[in-house]
Structure formats: structure tokens, C-alpha cells
Amino acid sequence: MLQTFLQGFAVYFIVWWITLFAVLPIGLRTQAEDNDIVLGTVHSAPTRFRPVFVFSMTTLISAVIYALWYIASNYFGWGFDALPQIGPSFSNV
């Protein structure tokens, strides 16, 4: 039971982490776009970072992706074994 929970949490954490990098640029305004460049920073630095928006959107999107993965693997039986084999098979030698 604990191992199943930890495996599910590990998959969710990986999905969450990848989704974070996809959500970070959404709604981002740079200092160059706002004409408010702080001395000593790059022009592409964000004007205002919204962590609540970023983390909540990341959690919501990754929960949907994880739910789709859970349904596909548990109810339809799709897993890594169902993927087509791309490389050569050396087990038949």
C-alpha cells in the first residue's frame, strides 16, 4: 500500500515539475516590455513574479494530467508495455 502511494506521488511530482516549466512563462511581463528596467538586472527579468498563480495553475494542470494517466493505466490497461518498440530487440538471439 505504501509503495503504491509513493510510486503515485513520484509520478505526480515529476508531472508537476515538468508542468511548472511550461506554466512559468504564462502571463509573464518582462522589464523591457514595461519600460521599468532596474539597474543591474537583465532586460528579460520579470517585472512581477506571481507565485500563487504559477503554483496553483501548475497544480491544477498536473492534477488533470495525472488523472488522465491514472485512468489510462488502471482502467484501460495502457502502460509502457503498450508503446511500440522503436529500437532493436536483442532478446530473440
Side-chain angles (χ1 to χ4, degrees), residues 1-2 5 7 15 17 27 29 32 39-40 50-51 55 59 70 75 77 81 88-89:
M1 174 84 172
L2 179 63
F5 172 76
Q7 287 174 345
V15 169
W17 194 253
R29 301 273 308 163
L39 216 64
R50 300 177 300 170
F55 293 142
T59 303
Y70 183 81
Y75 294 111
D81 295 335
S89 176

Side-chain angles (χ1 to χ4, degrees), residues 23 61 78 87 92:
V23 170
I61 293 170
W78 297 344
N92 295 339

Side-chain angles (χ1 to χ4, degrees), residues 12 15-16 19 55-71:
Y12 179 77
V15 169
W16 190 91
T19 307
F55 293 142
S56 61
M57 286 300 293
T58 301
T59 303
L60 180 70
I61 293 170
S62 61
V64 169
I65 293 171
Y66 181 79
L68 291 173
W69 171 80
Y70 183 81
I71 290 168

